[in-house]
């Protein structure tokens, strides 16, 4: 698996273990955005299409009649752009608002609440389940990519554009070289 994705998953786990739902959700959406970009970035410019396409291909088991990839994308927009539950997709009725259930004894909250919440174009998801499905989906994505030369090429091209960690001493050495370009 990609080092940056592993780091995102570690941050998701830390935030989730400390009951920080907003950062947990934000990092989940960043991870899906990144995985979608790694898979489809060379051929698809729309982040919405990359996000929903990746979700439908790799975490489709998470979805049911109460939540689909567009709902999740809408929640991504609401969370990342305004830390709210409403996005332009949900306010226009094209997606449901998403609430998050999390933690011990919360597994049944979505099934209990969604009948009532559906009346107000809202759904509840179990964030623990989303985390698990995301990790499974990412593993499948990277495993499948290993057997496809074109997929590996696309991922390698994406990796070349990602953040890299450079030790301070090395950065100080290369900075003058960059200055001379």
């Amino acid at each position: 698996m990609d080092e940056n994705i592993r780091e995102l998953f570690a941050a998701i786990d830390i935030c989730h273990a400390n009951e920080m739902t907003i950062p947990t959700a934000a990092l989940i959406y960043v991870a899906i955005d990144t995985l979608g970009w790694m898979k489809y970035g060379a051929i698809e410019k729309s982040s919405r299409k990359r996000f929903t396409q990746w979700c439908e291909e790799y975490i489709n088991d998470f979805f049911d009649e109460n939540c689909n990839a567009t709902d999740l994308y809408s929640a991504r927009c609401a969370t990342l752009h305004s830390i709210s539950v409403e996005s332009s997709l949900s306010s226009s009725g094209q997606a449901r608002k998403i609430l998050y259930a999390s933690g011990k004894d919360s597994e049944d909250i979505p099934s209990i609440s969604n009948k009532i919440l559906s009346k107000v174009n809202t759904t509840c998801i179990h964030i623990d389940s989303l985390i698990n499905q995301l990790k499974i989906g990412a593993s499948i994505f990277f495993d499948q990519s290993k057997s496809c030369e074109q997929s590996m090429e696309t991922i390698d091209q994406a990796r070349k554009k990602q953040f890299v960690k450079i030790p301070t001493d090395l950065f100080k050495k290369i900075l003058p070289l960059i200055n001379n370009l």
Side-chain angles (χ1 to χ4, degrees):
M1 186 177 298
D2 185 82
E3 183 59 34
N4 287 337
I5 298 299
R6 269 196 291 276
E7 191 173 309
L8 278 173
F9 285 165
I12 289 167
D13 290 341
I14 290 167
C15 290
H16 186 60
N18 287 288
E19 300 179 3
M20 296 185 285
T21 304
I22 294 168
T24 300
L27 290 168
I28 288 169
Y29 298 136
V30 168
I32 295 172
D33 267 336
T34 302
L35 291 161
W37 172 74
M38 291 177 87
K39 169 83 178 185
Y40 307 109
I43 56 172
E44 179 56 63
K45 297 303 175 204
S46 166
S47 61
R48 178 180 175 177
K49 287 181 184 175
R50 291 190 308 249
F51 184 99
T52 56
Q53 215 172 336
W54 193 91
C55 286
E56 288 166 353
E57 188 167 348
Y58 293 101
I59 62 169
N60 199 44
D61 288 348
F62 176 77
F63 301 120
D64 60 19
E65 69 276 358
N66 296 306
C67 182
N68 60 44
T70 301
D71 296 329
L72 208 57
Y73 180 76
S74 174
R76 166 232 180 256
C77 294
T79 302
L80 296 180
H81 298 296
S82 61
I83 310 179
S84 70
V85 297
E86 188 169 83
S87 72
S88 59
L89 287 168
S90 64
S91 64
S92 67
Q94 297 175 61
R96 289 170 274 227
K97 295 176 195 150
I98 290 184
L99 305 178
Y100 305 95
S102 180
K104 189 177 176 184
D105 301 323
S106 65
E107 295 88 2
D108 60 346
I109 290 175
S111 60
I112 293 169
S113 62
N114 277 333
K115 191 171 188 175
I116 296 164
L117 290 173
S118 67
K119 295 176 184 176
V120 290
N121 200 35
T122 303
T123 191
C124 181
I125 63 172
H126 192 245
I127 201 163
D128 308 63
S129 299
L130 179 57
I131 293 168
N132 290 333
Q133 284 297 308
L134 174 58
K135 289 178 179 180
I136 291 167
S139 292
I140 292 169
F141 165 65
F142 285 110
D143 287 346
Q144 286 177 347
S145 297
K146 288 176 188 173
S147 62
C148 176
E149 191 175 321
Q150 184 178 1
S151 292
M152 284 307 298
E153 224 174 89
T154 302
I155 290 171
D156 287 340
Q157 289 301 316
R159 283 181 176 142
K160 290 176 183 175
K161 296 177 183 178
Q162 287 183 326
F163 283 112
V164 293
K165 295 177 194 170
I166 301 173
T168 305
D169 59 331
L170 178 60
F171 185 74
K172 287 178 181 177
K173 289 178 184 175
I174 64 171
L175 198 55
L177 299 173
I178 295 171
N179 190 40
N180 291 331
L181 292 179

